[in-house]
């Protein structure tokens, strides 16, 4: 029978994942304020976005497997405190250089947290709802991104101290959650190899590799779409529709990420392959509708396209994640999750950087269309691979068998 401490620990970890991910989208609605105050160009803002992704990716490459060796809680405490430091730094940012430094620190902190939090959540799965940890790993990030963007946009538009208050609030929440980690049971026994684990690597367990290759396109398409909406689409409100309301920018991001989170929850009882097909189709249709209505100068159409894209963002990430987590033994979970996020954040950041570089030469709307075409191409490729793959269903069945074999004593695995 699971203890009250174990149940409380599970929800503390879920809350920490939520707040950490939400904090990563907080700066996005404030960028126009920074740009106006410090004369920042679109390329400079893209650079700030890219430096965060770079810090996150390097950290996950180096430290993605660390918690599999030293335990989850030491990594969570270090990452949580570093994220608080980054938010404190944001409150005093006074120029482009400070903004770059703050985003580097934030990227490193989130990179430390993501894999360890996701693995710890599964380690502490609820006895009554063992699959909930896998569902939350996929559903929490989009909900969190929506919350961070909307709360930031609202406070910038209507609250006092628009460049400080939202960072203070999220920093205080994170401090409380770091302190609450004392309640969370540590499920990982320290084992040798911590220093060796710091060698930069993408760690995909042997049992997960075939499936990882098969679903990588879905991860790329879904997170490239996330990057599109966090980096370019909100700017369409000002450049195309003449809307400069900061809350509106946050709300548009929330349409995609919020619908993505709801989709992730809605499909938790669906067959994962069917959920993946749904996500890939929405990742094809959503960007086409969105870009088409930007060209047509139709704001309602833009919102509809964003909602369709949100279905793709949720299902296109949730389904592959559930399939992959079913293949991972407890000692490989953090490394696998870090590899998933490395692929995802490369897709999240690299196209946005390219878009920022070419926008001065080609213009905003053509670059938006090219970005959308890249997402459609990635999703179409992944869909064709899924349709033509004869072994996909067998891989998933073997994944479930792997979970059965690797489940041990105190460590509970997710049954998908």
């Amino acid at each position: 029978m699971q203890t009250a401490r174990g149940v409380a620990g599970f929800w503390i970890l879920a809350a920490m994942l939520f707040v950490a991910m939400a904090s990563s989208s907080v700066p996005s609605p404030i960028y126009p304020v920074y740009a106006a105050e410090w004369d920042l160009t679109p390329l400079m803002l893209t650079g700030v976005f890219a430096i965060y992704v770079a810090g996150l990716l390097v950290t996950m490459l180096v430290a993605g497997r660390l918690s599999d060796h030293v335990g989850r809680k030491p990594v969570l405490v270090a990452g949580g405190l570093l994220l608080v430091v980054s938010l404190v730094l944001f409150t005093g940012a006074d120029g482009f250089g400070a903004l770059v430094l703050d985003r580097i620190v934030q990227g490193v902190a989130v990179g430390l947290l993501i894999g360890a939090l996701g693995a710890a959540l599964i380690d502490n799965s609820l006895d009554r709802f063992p699959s909930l940890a896998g569902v939350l790993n996929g559903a929490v990030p989009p909900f969190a991104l929506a919350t961070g963007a909307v709360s930031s946009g609202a406070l910038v538009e209507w609250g006092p101290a628009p460049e400080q208050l939202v960072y203070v609030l999220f920093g205080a929440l994170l401090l409380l959650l770091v302190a609450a980690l004392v309640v969370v049971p540590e499920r990982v026994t320290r084992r040798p190899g911590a220093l060796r684990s710091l060698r930069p690597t993408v760690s995909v367990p042997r049992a997960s590799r075939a499936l990882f290759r098969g679903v990588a396109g879905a991860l790329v398409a879904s997170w490239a779409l996330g990057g599109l909406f966090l980096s370019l689409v909100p700017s369409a409100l000002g450049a195309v529709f003449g809307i400069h309301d900061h809350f509106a920018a946050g709300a548009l991001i929330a349409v995609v990420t919020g619908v993505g989170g709801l989709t992730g929850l809605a499909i938790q009882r669906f067959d994962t392959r069917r959920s993946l097909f749904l996500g890939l189709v929405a990742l094809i249709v959503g960007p086409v509708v969105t870009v088409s209505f930007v060209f047509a100068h139709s704001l309602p159409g833009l919102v509809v396209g964003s909602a369709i894209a949100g279905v793709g963002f949720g299902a296109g990430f949730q389904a592959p994640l559930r399939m992959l987590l079913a293949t991972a033994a407890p000692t490989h979970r953090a490394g696998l999750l870090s590899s998933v996020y490395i692929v995802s954040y490369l897709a999240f950041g690299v196209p946005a950087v390219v878009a920022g570089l070419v926008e001065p030469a080609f213009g905003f709307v053509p670059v938006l269309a090219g970005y959308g075409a890249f997402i459609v191409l990635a999703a179409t490729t992944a869909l064709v691979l899924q349709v033509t793959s004869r072994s996909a269903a067998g891989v998933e069945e073997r994944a479930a068998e792997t979970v059965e074999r690797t489940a041990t004593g105190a460590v509970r695995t997710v049954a998908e």
Side-chain angles (χ1 to χ4, degrees):
M1 182 68 180
Q2 193 169 24
T3 64
R5 181 188 176 193
V7 174
F10 176 85
W11 290 111
I12 289 168
L13 291 166
M16 191 170 184
L17 178 62
F18 183 91
V19 175
M21 292 299 295
S23 72
S24 69
S25 66
V26 162
S28 293
I30 311 178
Y31 284 159
V33 178
Y34 295 143
E37 286 187 2
W38 305 329
D39 295 322
L40 304 183
T41 65
L43 182 58
M44 294 170 76
L45 289 177
T46 302
V48 172
F49 179 81
I51 204 70
Y52 163 77
V53 175
L56 184 148
L57 287 173
V58 169
T59 303
M60 286 194 294
L61 281 169
V62 173
R65 298 178 295 155
L66 184 61
S67 74
D68 287 333
H69 295 271
V70 302
R72 311 296 187 211
K73 290 171 71 172
V75 176
L76 295 181
V77 170
L81 291 177
L82 189 61
L83 188 52
V84 171
V85 169
S86 76
L87 296 174
V88 171
L89 290 173
F90 272 116
T91 64
D94 57 1
F96 177 69
L99 202 57
V100 168
L101 174 63
D102 300 349
R103 284 297 261 175
I104 291 174
V105 177
Q106 189 180 41
V108 171
V110 174
L112 276 174
L113 287 171
I114 286 179
L117 273 171
L121 201 61
I122 299 169
D123 295 342
N124 290 274
S125 294
L126 299 177
D127 284 350
R128 293 182 62 186
F129 305 103
S131 65
L132 183 59
V135 172
L136 291 181
N137 261 306
V140 164
F143 272 130
L145 291 172
T147 301
V150 169
S151 59
S152 178
L155 289 172
V156 169
E157 189 65 27
W158 299 305
E163 297 170 50
Q164 288 84 33
L165 181 58
V166 68
Y167 297 120
V168 172
L169 291 176
F170 275 91
L173 282 173
L174 275 166
L175 271 180
L176 290 173
L177 289 167
V178 169
L181 288 173
V182 69
V183 176
V184 179
E186 176 63 79
R187 305 291 187 187
V188 173
T189 303
R190 287 176 175 263
R191 61 191 180 99
L195 288 178
R196 288 196 305 273
S197 76
L198 296 178
R199 290 182 300 185
T201 184
V202 176
S203 175
V204 179
R206 185 181 300 275
S208 309
R209 289 174 189 171
L211 182 60
F212 193 93
R213 289 192 295 268
V215 301
L219 299 175
V220 168
S222 59
W223 279 84
L225 183 136
L228 171 67
F229 275 86
L230 262 72
S231 64
L232 280 187
V233 170
S235 300
L237 293 176
V240 178
F241 300 100
I243 299 173
H244 300 283
D245 185 294
H246 299 297
F247 178 73
L252 186 61
I253 293 171
V255 169
V256 178
T257 53
V259 170
L262 291 172
T263 301
L265 292 176
I267 65 172
Q268 62 175 299
R269 297 187 183 277
F270 290 7
D271 174 77
T272 49
R273 290 199 73 212
R274 291 181 180 178
S275 298
L276 181 56
F277 287 141
L278 170 67
L280 290 171
V281 170
L283 284 167
I284 294 168
V285 176
V288 171
V289 174
T290 299
V291 173
S292 297
F293 280 114
V294 168
F295 275 103
H297 289 219
S298 171
L299 185 59
L302 172 62
V303 175
V304 170
S306 301
I308 297 171
V311 173
F313 184 54
F317 179 61
Q318 170 76 259
L321 187 64
R322 285 170 56 196
M323 294 163 74
L324 285 166
L325 286 174
T327 68
T331 53
H332 295 132
R333 285 176 184 151
L336 175 61
L337 279 167
S338 292
S339 297
V340 167
Y341 278 107
I342 286 168
V343 171
S344 300
Y345 270 93
L346 278 171
F348 186 68
V350 172
V353 174
V354 173
L357 290 172
V358 302
E359 189 271 339
F362 294 95
F364 174 78
V365 175
V367 168
L368 182 69
Y371 203 146
F374 168 75
I375 296 168
V376 170
L377 177 62
T380 302
T381 303
L383 184 60
V384 169
L385 287 174
Q386 287 297 313
V387 170
T388 59
S389 174
R390 297 179 179 178
S391 60
V395 169
E396 194 171 347
E397 289 173 4
R398 289 193 297 274
E401 293 171 2
T402 301
V403 173
E404 293 282 338
R405 291 195 302 269
T406 56
T408 56
V411 181
R412 292 175 299 279
T413 55
V414 176
E416 294 290 12

